[in-house]
Amino acid sequence: MDVKDVRLNFKEAEWRSKQEIEAFLAQAGPQPAAELAKLMGMLSERSLVADNTRHRNRCFAFLKLAELTKDPALFVPYAKALKTADQALRTVLVALLPRVNNISAHGELCDALGSPDEQVRQAAQKVLAELAGAQAFKIIEGLVARKDFPGRMEAMAAIVPKAGHRAIPLLREIVVHGRLHERTRALQHLSDATVMHRDLEGAVAAVQDAVRDTDERVACAAIAALGSLCEESLFLENIEPFKDTQSLPVVRAIVEGLRNYKSTAAIEWLGRKLRVGPNSIRLAALTSLEAIATDDVVPLLVEALKHTQLVVRNRAAEALGNLATQRKVDLARTIIWLLRSSDVNVRRMAVELARKAGDVSGELTPKLLRYLRDEDWWVRERVADALVEMAGNSLTKHVVEYLQDESDVVRRYAVGFLKRLKDPRSLGALVRTAQSDSDWWVREWAIEAMGELGDARAVPYIAEIMQRDDQMRLPSLIALGNLKAHDQIGHMVAFLKHADPETRLEAIRAISRLGDRGIVPYLEPLVTDTDHRVTAAAIKALKELDEVRTGGAAERATNLLDRMLLAMANKEADDLILAAARRPFLKKHGRTMPLTEQVFSSEEVRALLMPHLSSQQQLELIQLKDVDFSYEVKAAGLRFRAHVFGARTGPCAIFRIVKQDIRELEKLGVPKIVETFGNFNNGLVLVGGPTGSGKSSTLAALIDYINRTTARHIITLEDPIEVVHARKMSLINQREIGTHTKTFGHALRATLRQDPDVILVGEMRDLETISFAVTAAETGHLVFGTVHTVSADSSIDRLINTFPPGQQPQVRSMLAETLRAVVCQHLVRKKDGGRVLAAEVMINTDAVQNLIRKGKTFQLPSVVSTSREVGMQSMDLELARLVLDGVITVEEGYSKSNDKRAFETMTGTGGTGTGTTPAPVDKPPVSHARAAG
């Protein structure tokens, strides 16, 4: 095919398929440069460009033809065409220009950077990034100095990565002549020391004049660049004029620049800004101190731990924790420094650091032991906890030495250490202490420790002390009971006749642990003892011995209420409902069923309940108030939460069983991220849901997680106490309203004086309780609370709307800062019986925080639905997943959903309550929930 035919075919061919194009290319073969220039001209003809498909195919054919020719004569035509070509042709030219490179003609390409069309500039940038050399650098350097030159951003993108430090003259011109965004971008390029490392001096010179620019944004970028490039002395010299500036952006730039230096002068600069503030500058200073990461920054971080602003204290604690645990500062020195603080909260942090970081070298343990002398009991306790966790039984040899300390307090804590360690090697030292220490409390603790060692060798020593020392008979009885010292039963039985009722009481408890029915004749006379406590203990011991013999509990339930509660437990029901003029009902998995056919009169219900109520509670019922209390069927080891109230027919009561086997969060079916809520140091965590949705179980599991994994002081305020937590790693004080404190208000006011780390508020139901929870969270405590709400957004509204309108803006701001997470849950009936937990989880991210602060809680559901990557999940999506997985019915999911229409869309039902099979749709992402069957 000759050139005329090629030209004609190129212009006229339809080229609707790839095969047609390939046939043309095979016939045409290589074309001379002049012919290619003509063909390229055709591609710009308006009539030919109109048909998009043919035009794209023609451009493709031209590309394939032109690839066969590498004639540099084509460079100028291609470069000129770049400025006027449409997008399809421009793409082809960008690919072809490197194949016909002509260095002497690069000026034509550089001119394209000055085009007003951004797409043209970007095309020129791509080619120059590949081809540009010294000649192009020089041309572009002149172009960027022109006042109206539009291509400075593209010039930098093309030249700097290729030229490196040789681009400094170009960048200097842009810093002088560019627009704001171009100047700041040039300064950012200059600040990259890895690119400019061969001429740092030239880069610094290009930056220095901009430090004093009238536009503070340029000045800030220049300061940041200097911080990356120059020696400390030059940096400090340049920032000296800004020592007293009031411009926060400039101060922040200086503070961030100082992170690159580790001298005393730099740290002093940061210390001044840390003290002066405001908080945004303080936080930036703390970040720079953390980046410096030397022992010299520790004093300033410790100082910040005492700041009045919570956000500053938290950031300082985070920085110090990171440096210590990553071993960037001397761990032992840092912890000792913190322990020397006069602020107990700082000393607490020291213990937490020690616990988390551990003692790899072995030098920290003996140093920390000295802090048994600390005057604050919390520090002593937590030092002990941390050391036991870090060093274990290797501590024994160190601790034994403290049994000879002159301070009885230190000796006491040394015994407490040994009690925790339970190391048989400490028995000899404990025996000597129990026999001869001058302080009765130390001797008592030593005997208790011997009893908990589980070592039978301790029995004769304890028995000898019990006979010889009247002050030690009670702890000795306890210890012998713990050791199950059958050979000492004769000595223990003798104390059943002791004149002191406390001694008789402990003797009963000790010998009952032996499980020996031979002691029954000795216990029976005490059933009529003059001290009611001794009587109760004797009866309990006899019942327990009978339990061993018969294995029965229900037959020993002496009253009708206990028998009904036992029947409820045997049927694995959740609630017993008593109502006047009604049969007693059980409630299991959300469904009620009669327990018996007998109808109880008002008098019969009152007779069942009144013996178990205090006089104050009976008075409250008369005053038309509801009463909450806890109830035990001790013979069966069962606990119940009871609520008594009046109704039209007479008194009513609900007894809910409290399962003492605390299940772990994962076994409850709670999403996996909820477990991490126990790791928060402070803030507010809400657990919402209707009655019977498992809120108490979730909170009990969270408290148990904290108890198992950290050494903290936990206070619970409950009405009434449900799950009883045994001490593990944490110290737990559980308070029941009406039993341990008069009112919720009184308990709340007292709580902050009781030095808690974690506070559980059983139910956030009024202004006083909610106000306390938010305030406590703001002051550095971790607060857990329950709310009767079914979604995260309604939980927030519930808290805020409790306050008067004038206070709500402030409360929104406080809640935005203190809230950590919200969990709302339902227990939903499964198709095959049992129930499964469905949960909504909201984490307080920046987006959530912003919506709360602005009062736009109605937008929270959309944030929750689109933030699964950070652990959030919506209730409706979770219910839809359970429906689509076949776990629950459509009706059950629909009844619990918040947005009915969205639920229908997700399940493909298109209606409600129909019982029809959902249409096939994509399943929502699987959550971490598990069946709680």
Side-chain angles (χ1 to χ4, degrees):
M1 188 183 295
D2 61 23
V3 292
K4 289 183 180 181
D5 290 334
V6 169
R7 201 180 311 156
L8 181 63
N9 273 276
F10 188 78
K11 183 175 182 178
E12 301 295 339
E14 290 294 325
W15 287 349
R16 297 296 183 183
S17 69
K18 185 178 179 182
Q19 290 76 13
E20 291 179 22
I21 298 173
E22 289 174 349
F24 167 77
L25 294 172
Q27 294 176 19
Q31 298 293 308
E35 189 61 27
L36 287 172
K38 291 177 182 179
L39 293 178
M40 183 181 66
M42 289 184 190
L43 293 173
S44 300
E45 292 180 16
R46 184 172 300 178
S47 59
L48 298 181
V49 174
D51 187 335
N52 286 336
T53 302
R54 288 183 66 193
H55 178 61
R56 285 197 301 272
N57 287 340
R58 196 176 284 110
C59 287
F60 176 74
F62 176 74
L63 172 65
K64 294 302 178 182
L65 278 178
E67 282 179 344
L68 302 175
T69 303
K70 298 183 179 181
D71 191 340
L74 287 168
F75 187 87
V76 172
Y78 286 174
K80 286 182 177 180
L82 198 66
K83 302 172 188 178
T84 57
D86 69 298
Q87 185 59 42
L89 178 56
R90 191 179 295 125
T91 302
V92 169
L93 294 173
V94 168
L96 291 174
L97 277 164
R99 302 178 65 85
V100 295
N101 186 23
N102 183 352
I103 295 175
S104 63
H106 279 188
E108 191 69 47
L109 195 57
C110 294
D111 285 342
L113 288 176
S115 171
D117 187 334
E118 183 180 1
Q119 291 185 345
V120 173
R121 298 199 302 271
Q122 289 176 349
Q125 170 196 320
K126 290 178 183 177
V127 180
L128 284 168
E130 185 174 348
L131 303 181
Q135 181 179 341
F137 297 168
K138 197 67 179 173
I139 294 170
I140 294 173
E141 184 182 331
L143 290 173
V144 298
R146 294 178 184 173
K147 183 178 180 181
D148 57 350
F149 183 69
R152 294 188 183 94
M153 296 295 287
E154 290 80 11
M156 287 187 283
I159 301 304
V160 174
K162 189 178 183 69
H165 69 283
R166 295 190 300 276
I168 290 175
L170 168 73
L171 295 170
R172 184 191 295 116
E173 292 294 339
I174 295 176
V175 170
V176 173
H177 299 288
R179 300 175 186 86
L180 173 62
H181 69 286
E182 296 165 347
R183 299 170 72 196
T184 54
R185 184 70 182 116
L187 289 166
Q188 289 170 1
H189 281 301
L190 286 165
S191 69
D192 190 341
T194 57
V195 175
M196 303 296 164
H197 69 281
R198 292 189 178 179
D199 189 8
L200 287 178
E201 193 173 317
V204 170
V207 167
Q208 271 184 293
D209 289 341
V211 171
R212 294 168 183 79
D213 197 274
T214 54
D215 191 309
E216 68 178 15
R217 289 167 291 185
V218 175
C220 289
I223 291 169
L226 283 179
S228 301
L229 297 172
C230 65
E231 296 293 332
E232 181 185 359
S233 58
L234 182 57
F235 182 78
L236 293 176
E237 178 185 328
N238 276 278
I239 65 173
E240 184 63 26
F242 301 104
K243 188 174 184 179
D244 300 314
T245 181
Q246 299 301 307
S247 170
L248 293 184
V250 171
V251 174
R252 179 190 290 274
I254 293 171
V255 166
E256 291 174 350
L258 286 168
R259 73 178 61 187
N260 301 300
Y261 309 108
K262 301 181 183 294
S263 73
T264 302
I267 294 172
E268 286 177 353
W269 237 97
L270 290 171
R272 286 196 299 272
K273 297 307 174 185
L274 184 60
R275 296 180 188 102
V276 173
N279 278 357
S280 60
I281 299 302
R282 292 189 183 103
L283 296 176
L286 289 169
T287 300
S288 291
L289 288 169
E290 182 180 357
I292 291 172
T294 66
D295 290 334
D296 293 334
V297 306
V298 172
L300 284 176
L301 294 176
V302 173
E303 180 183 326
L305 290 174
K306 306 174 195 176
H307 199 274
T308 56
Q309 294 291 318
L310 175 62
V311 67
V312 177
R313 297 199 302 272
N314 287 345
R315 182 66 187 93
E318 180 187 15
L320 199 52
N322 291 340
L323 293 177
T325 53
Q326 294 167 16
R327 299 299 200 280
K328 291 183 177 178
V329 295
D330 186 323
L331 178 63
R333 180 181 171 192
T334 301
I335 291 174
I336 300 303
W337 190 300
L338 292 171
L339 284 171
R340 287 174 180 160
S341 171
S342 59
D343 186 337
V344 66
N345 292 311
V346 176
R347 300 202 299 277
R348 289 180 178 189
M349 185 188 171
V351 177
E352 278 300 305
L353 276 181
R355 187 183 65 78
K356 288 179 181 178
D359 187 10
V360 177
S361 65
E363 62 182 33
L364 183 58
T365 297
K367 291 180 180 179
L368 283 180
L369 275 170
R370 299 170 192 164
Y371 283 87
L372 288 178
R373 296 182 172 279
D374 195 289
E375 71 279 3
D376 182 78
W377 74 270
W378 194 99
V379 174
R380 288 194 297 261
E381 283 284 342
R382 294 311 183 267
V383 166
D385 289 339
L387 286 174
V388 169
E389 185 175 336
M390 286 193 304
N393 285 352
S394 64
L395 279 170
T396 302
K397 61 183 179 182
H398 299 293
V399 177
V400 165
E401 297 175 7
Y402 284 87
L403 293 175
Q404 307 300 320
D405 196 276
E406 61 184 19
S407 167
D408 54 354
V409 173
V410 173
R411 298 199 304 278
R412 215 174 291 153
Y413 274 90
V415 173
F417 253 116
L418 297 175
K419 187 176 177 181
R420 296 179 196 193
L421 293 172
K422 294 182 174 58
D423 186 349
R425 293 175 298 174
S426 65
L427 179 59
L430 289 171
V431 168
R432 290 190 292 274
T433 301
Q435 290 174 334
S436 60
D437 197 277
S438 59
D439 182 76
W440 69 269
W441 199 348
V442 175
R443 298 200 305 278
E444 181 174 312
W445 278 31
I447 292 170
E448 289 181 11
M450 292 163 65
E452 293 185 17
L453 280 179
D455 192 330
R457 293 177 299 168
V459 170
Y461 297 106
I462 297 173
E464 185 270 330
I465 294 170
M466 181 175 69
Q467 297 297 321
R468 173 174 55 81
D469 188 346
D470 280 348
Q471 278 188 310
M472 295 297 110
R473 63 173 176 266
L474 295 183
S476 297
L477 283 167
I478 294 170
L480 291 173
N482 287 336
L483 289 167
K484 298 193 183 310
H486 289 272
D487 59 337
Q488 297 297 322
I489 194 168
H491 293 300
M492 289 189 279
V493 165
F495 285 107
L496 293 174
K497 298 181 180 179
H498 199 280
D500 177 28
E502 292 289 344
T503 301
R504 299 199 298 277
L505 188 61
E506 286 304 336
I508 292 170
R509 291 169 177 166
I511 61 176
S512 66
R513 293 192 187 101
L514 304 180
D516 187 343
R517 284 195 48 77
I519 63 171
V520 169
Y522 300 101
L523 290 174
E524 286 176 339
L526 297 176
V527 171
T528 58
D529 195 271
T530 55
D531 190 290
H532 73 280
R533 296 172 302 160
V534 175
T535 298
I539 292 172
K540 180 182 179 183
L542 288 168
K543 285 182 176 181
E544 288 173 351
L545 289 168
D546 187 51
E547 174 80 20
V548 173
R549 181 174 61 85
T550 67
E555 65 271 18
R556 298 197 314 279
T558 56
N559 62 68
L560 178 58
L561 177 60
D562 283 8
R563 291 199 296 274
M564 286 193 289
L565 291 172
L566 283 167
M568 165 193 166
N570 290 335
K571 292 178 182 292
E572 298 183 349
D574 302 308
D575 300 282
L576 170 67
I577 305 173
L578 300 177
R582 300 282 189 276
R583 292 177 293 175
F585 274 79
L586 300 180
K587 191 172 184 181
K588 180 178 180 180
H589 297 165
R591 300 182 185 274
T592 56
M593 62 191 77
L595 175 62
T596 70
E597 294 302 317
Q598 178 185 353
V599 175
F600 285 86
S601 68
S602 177
E603 291 73 19
E604 287 173 324
V605 173
R606 187 173 284 105
L608 282 173
L609 299 175
M610 293 306 151
H612 308 295
L613 300 179
S614 66
S615 57
Q616 178 63 32
Q617 289 170 328
Q618 293 181 31
L619 178 61
E620 288 177 355
L621 275 179
I622 294 171
Q623 295 172 346
L624 303 182
K625 296 180 180 178
D626 300 340
V627 171
D628 292 296
F629 67 99
S630 55
Y631 184 78
E632 289 186 74
V633 180
K634 295 184 178 179
L638 297 173
R639 282 176 54 81
F640 299 86
R641 181 180 72 197
H643 178 73
V644 183
F645 58 99
R648 181 181 60 82
T649 57
C652 304
I654 311 292
F655 288 82
R656 165 155 291 195
I657 193 165
V658 178
K659 296 180 174 63
Q660 289 300 308
D661 54 329
I662 303 173
R663 298 172 69 185
E664 294 181 5
L665 287 162
E666 187 174 359
K667 294 179 181 177
L668 289 174
V670 179
K672 206 169 184 62
I673 194 169
V674 175
E675 185 175 281
T676 65
F677 299 168
N679 298 328
F680 291 137
N681 291 321
N682 52 61
L684 177 62
V685 176
L686 300 176
V687 179
T691 301
S693 60
K695 300 187 298 294
S696 299
S697 297
T698 298
L699 281 176
L702 270 169
I703 295 297
D704 182 64
Y705 171 78
I706 296 171
N707 189 15
R708 286 186 285 108
T709 58
T710 62
R712 295 198 254 182
H713 184 199
I714 304 169
I715 290 181
T716 71
L717 306 176
E718 302 173 75
D719 186 14
I721 289 175
E722 298 184 26
V723 176
V724 176
H725 293 272
R727 174 184 166 86
K728 293 174 184 175
M729 288 187 66
S730 291
L731 174 65
I732 303 183
N733 287 314
Q734 295 181 258
R735 307 191 73 196
E736 183 170 286
I737 308 304
T739 303
H740 307 126
T741 182
K742 289 183 179 180
T743 65
F744 239 120
H746 184 271
L748 295 173
R749 286 189 294 273
T751 297
L752 294 184
R753 296 194 295 270
Q754 292 158 5
D755 200 21
D757 301 300
V758 181
I759 303 170
L760 169 65
V761 181
E763 186 176 342
M764 296 171 61
R765 52 191 170 190
D766 52 34
L767 175 60
E768 184 177 38
T769 310
I770 293 170
S771 178
F772 164 80
V774 175
T775 303
E778 191 180 39
T779 54
H781 302 83
L782 177 57
V783 181
F784 293 96
T786 63
V787 285
H788 283 278
T789 51
V790 295
S791 64
D793 57 310
S794 63
S795 300
I796 304 302
D797 288 337
R798 167 80 176 85
L799 265 61
I800 293 172
N801 293 336
T802 304
F803 290 82
Q807 296 181 24
Q808 288 181 10
Q810 179 186 359
V811 173
R812 275 197 295 270
S813 179
M814 293 170 65
L815 197 58
E817 292 294 333
T818 59
L819 184 70
R820 293 291 174 267
V822 181
V823 183
C824 290
Q825 53 190 58
H826 283 295
L827 283 175
V828 191
R829 284 193 293 269
K830 297 164 64 176
K831 281 184 177 179
D832 56 357
R835 291 190 291 179
V836 64
L837 186 138
E840 177 169 286
V841 180
M842 183 182 78
I843 313 294
N844 192 13
T845 60
D846 290 342
V848 170
Q849 192 177 71
N850 191 44
L851 291 177
I852 294 174
R853 187 177 289 109
K854 292 182 177 180
K856 297 181 178 180
T857 52
F858 62 89
Q859 295 181 12
L860 289 175
S862 64
V863 175
V864 171
S865 298
T866 56
S867 302
R868 295 188 68 88
E869 71 280 356
V870 297
M872 297 198 214
Q873 64 182 49
S874 72
M875 179 64 73
D876 292 340
L877 201 60
E878 183 63 9
L879 290 168
R881 183 189 69 80
L882 292 171
V883 168
L884 296 172
D885 284 348
V887 178
I888 65 175
T889 64
V890 174
E891 295 85 352
E892 184 70 12
Y894 183 84
S895 69
K896 298 294 190 296
S897 62
N898 296 320
D899 187 335
K900 307 296 186 186
R901 183 171 297 177
F903 177 80
E904 291 173 0
T905 301
M906 287 185 282
T907 56
T909 53
T912 61
T914 63
T916 57
T917 303
V921 294
D922 290 339
K923 290 186 181 182
V926 176
S927 79
H928 296 292
R930 296 285 184 270

